[in-house]
Amino acid sequence: MMNRTEIKSLRDEAYQHLTTELLPFWTTRMKDEINGGFLTHFDKEGKDTGEDEKSLIAQTRCLYTIASANRAGYGNGELAELAKHGVDFLIDKMWDEKYGGFYWMADRKGKVKIDQKIIYGHSFAIYSLSEYTLATGDKRGIEYAEKVFDMIQKYCVDTRYGGYWEMFQRDWTLCGPGSQGGDRKTLDVHMHLMEALTTLYEYTGKEVHRRKLLEVIDLMLNVINHPKYKTGIPQFYKDWSIAPQIKFDIIWGWDRFSEEGEKGNATDNTCYGHNAEFAWLLIHAFDILKTDPATEAETFKIIFDHTIDNGIDIEYGGVYVEGPHSGGVYDREKEFWQQAEVLIGMLDGVLLFNHEKYWEAYKNVHRFVFDKVINKSIGEWYPLLSRKGEPIWTHMGHSWKINYHTVRSMIQSIERLDKLLNQ
C-alpha cells in the first residue's frame, strides 16, 4: 500500500526541517545568557518580544524539547549543556524551598510573579526532568522529578473520587471553585500526568510509579474518554460528572474564549488533536510498561477513525480544532499543535493496523504542515491558521506556544517513518 520512495521522501523532508530549521530556530535564540533559563517569546520574524516572564510550563517544555532531541541523537552532543542551563534556572529560581514544588511564573531574572502551584506545570516538570536524566545522566533531574511526584501524591490526590486536584495556592491549599479551578478536573492534566509518569517510570522502574501510571491510564480509558466514541471529554466536576468547559483565572494556552469565559457547546465538544495525542502517548506508555498495545486495539481504532472521519479536512488539508463527540465539526480553524500530534498518531495507526487510510491521513496533514503551517523564512510553525491555511496568529513563541509539540512531532514522526522503511 505504501511506496518506499514516498516514505523516504517524506522522512527526508521532516529530517531536513528538524535539523536545518526547527531546532536551529530555538538553539540560536532560547538561551538567556544574562539571567539563565530559556527565552520563549518571539514574534513573526523570530525576534525576542521582551516579554518579562518565564512560566513553569514554557521552561519545562523547552527543557523536555532539548533533552529529548539530545537523547534522540540530534545536536552532536551539544544540547546536553543547553538542557543543563535550563535545569539550573528551574531548580535555583523556580523551586519553592519553603513549601516545595515549582512556582507558576517568574520574571526573566527569576523573581516570582505568580506563586501558585498548578499541576499542569508540575506534570511537565516530571516529564522534562525525567527526560533530562535519561538524556544526560545528570541525577538532579530525576531527584526533582521524584520530589514533585511525591508532593502530588501527598497534596493532590482525590482519595474519594479518584484522580487529581489541579489548582493550589503556594502552600498547597486547594483553590476555590469555578474560575479558580479548585472544583474541576481536566483531561489535559490527567493526560499529561500519564506522559510524565511514563517517562518517570521508564527511568526508575519503581513499582509505585508503575502503579500510579496504570491508575491514570484506567481513568483516561474508562472515565475521561467518552464511553461510546472514545473521544476525550475536556472538563469535569470533582465527582467526574461532566462540567461546562470554562476559562480558568490561570490559563494555559486556551486563549480562544467568548467574553463570558465559557465555551460554546460547553459539554459536547472534543478536540481532535488531544484524541490523537492521547492514543499515541498510550501506545508509548504500553511500550514502556511492556504491554501489547493490541490489548486496546479496538479503542485505538475508534479514536484514529474518529479523527480521520471528523477531524481531517479532505478539501484543504490539515486537522480541524474540535467538534461533537458523535461526529461533525464546530471549529474549522487549524491549530499548530493539533497538526503535530495527529502526524504521530496517524503513523502509529499505520504501524498498528497496516491500513492505507492512516497513511493517506498522515500524508494529508504532513503536506498541510509543510506547505502552510511552517513559517518558511523562519523555521517555526504559525500557531493558528484559517481553514485554508492563512496565518491568523503569527508569533513564533510565547508561554503557550513553544517548541515542545513541533520538535517532538518531527522526532517522533522520523522515528516511525524509519520503522516503516525498515519493514
Side-chain angles (χ1 to χ4, degrees), residues 190-408:
H190 288 78
M191 183 181 75
H192 289 305
L193 279 172
M194 182 181 80
E195 73 183 342
L197 294 173
T198 299
T199 308
L200 179 66
Y201 175 64
E202 182 181 359
Y203 181 84
T204 69
K206 290 184 178 179
E207 176 59 24
V208 66
H209 299 152
R210 179 179 179 275
R211 195 168 72 243
K212 290 297 179 177
L213 172 57
L214 289 170
E215 282 179 14
V216 175
I217 289 172
D218 183 63
L219 265 178
M220 291 293 302
L221 284 172
N222 299 308
V223 178
I224 294 173
N225 276 4
H226 191 285
K228 179 178 179 181
Y229 303 109
K230 308 302 180 187
T231 45
I233 299 166
Q235 279 186 30
F236 299 85
Y237 292 114
K238 62 182 180 181
D239 63 357
W240 294 106
S241 56
I242 297 172
Q245 204 173 358
I246 62 166
K247 179 177 178 178
F248 297 127
D249 296 338
I250 292 182
I251 186 175
W252 48 80
W254 191 21
D255 321 77
R256 302 198 293 132
F257 275 91
S258 66
E259 287 302 312
E260 294 76 35
E262 183 172 309
K263 196 129 184 170
N265 312 302
T267 56
D268 183 23
N269 64 81
T270 192
C271 167
Y272 303 115
H274 265 155
N275 296 338
E277 184 179 13
F278 163 68
W280 83 255
L281 286 171
L282 181 56
I283 290 169
H284 175 61
F286 281 158
D287 180 52
I288 299 302
L289 288 162
K290 296 181 170 51
T291 299
D292 187 351
T295 56
E296 286 291 340
E298 184 180 354
T299 297
F300 293 128
K301 188 173 188 306
I302 292 170
I303 293 171
F304 290 144
D305 288 356
H306 187 281
T307 304
I308 291 174
D309 294 342
N310 301 286
I312 289 184
D313 185 345
I314 301 303
E315 187 175 357
Y316 295 108
V319 184
Y320 298 127
V321 172
E322 64 189 15
H325 296 282
S326 58
V329 187
Y330 287 143
D331 188 338
R332 295 179 187 273
E333 290 175 343
K334 313 282 172 68
E335 288 181 308
F336 83 103
W337 69 267
Q338 307 213 27
Q339 318 305 311
E341 299 306 328
V342 170
L343 285 173
I344 309 170
M346 290 302 106
L347 287 175
D348 268 355
V350 175
L351 288 164
L352 201 55
F353 300 108
N354 194 32
H355 198 292
E356 188 172 6
K357 64 183 173 183
Y358 304 118
W359 179 243
E360 291 301 319
Y362 170 79
K363 287 194 296 180
N364 171 305
V365 182
H366 178 108
R367 202 64 276 135
F368 183 78
V369 166
F370 280 82
D371 293 347
K372 301 288 188 180
V373 184
I374 296 169
N375 182 350
K376 294 291 193 299
S377 62
I378 299 298
E380 243 295 337
W381 300 16
Y382 290 113
L384 181 69
L385 303 97
S386 70
R387 182 186 176 190
K388 292 183 179 180
E390 297 114 348
I392 297 171
W393 295 346
T394 60
H395 53 267
M396 294 293 99
H398 66 34
S399 280
W400 319 121
K401 193 273 175 183
I402 207 67
N403 42 37
Y404 146 80
H405 288 289
T406 54
V407 173
R408 184 174 74 169

Side-chain angles (χ1 to χ4, degrees), residues 49-215:
T49 66
E51 191 80 21
D52 190 20
E53 66 177 45
K54 286 177 176 165
S55 68
L56 177 60
I57 192 68
Q59 295 300 306
T60 52
R61 282 179 162 181
C62 284
L63 173 60
Y64 171 83
T65 298
I66 296 306
S68 67
N70 185 75
R71 180 152 73 124
Y74 297 96
N76 299 315
E78 295 173 7
L79 297 179
E81 185 55 39
L82 183 57
K84 178 183 179 297
H85 178 83
V87 169
D88 291 344
F89 182 86
L90 201 58
I91 293 173
D92 295 345
K93 300 292 188 180
M94 298 191 77
W95 180 260
D96 184 347
E97 290 290 351
K98 182 173 182 180
Y99 293 106
F102 290 102
Y103 299 116
W104 177 245
M105 185 81 72
D107 66 13
R108 288 197 174 198
K109 293 181 178 178
K111 183 181 177 183
V112 178
K113 292 179 78 171
I114 300 175
D115 65 7
Q116 284 183 244
K117 306 295 165 58
I118 310 297
I119 303 313
Y120 188 81
H122 283 80
S123 70
F124 279 96
I126 295 173
Y127 191 38
S128 63
L129 289 163
S130 300
E131 184 72 22
Y132 171 71
T133 298
L134 283 162
T136 67
D138 183 348
K139 295 294 178 60
R140 285 184 308 158
I142 206 66
E143 176 192 346
Y144 277 84
E146 291 202 68
K147 281 184 181 181
V148 172
F149 170 85
D150 290 345
M151 302 209 77
I152 288 175
Q153 300 310 315
K154 180 177 180 180
Y155 292 117
C156 311
V157 172
D158 180 354
T159 53
R160 181 173 183 185
Y161 295 107
Y164 295 84
W165 302 114
E166 302 179 8
M167 305 279 209
F168 296 85
Q169 306 296 346
R170 181 189 173 189
D171 64 356
W172 295 97
T173 302
L174 188 63
C175 288
S179 64
Q180 292 185 51
D183 64 340
R184 301 292 176 118
K185 294 169 183 170
T186 65
L187 175 155
D188 231 347
V189 161
H190 288 78
M191 183 181 75
H192 289 305
L193 279 172
M194 182 181 80
E195 73 183 342
L197 294 173
T198 299
T199 308
L200 179 66
Y201 175 64
E202 182 181 359
Y203 181 84
T204 69
K206 290 184 178 179
E207 176 59 24
V208 66
H209 299 152
R210 179 179 179 275
R211 195 168 72 243
K212 290 297 179 177
L213 172 57
L214 289 170
E215 282 179 14

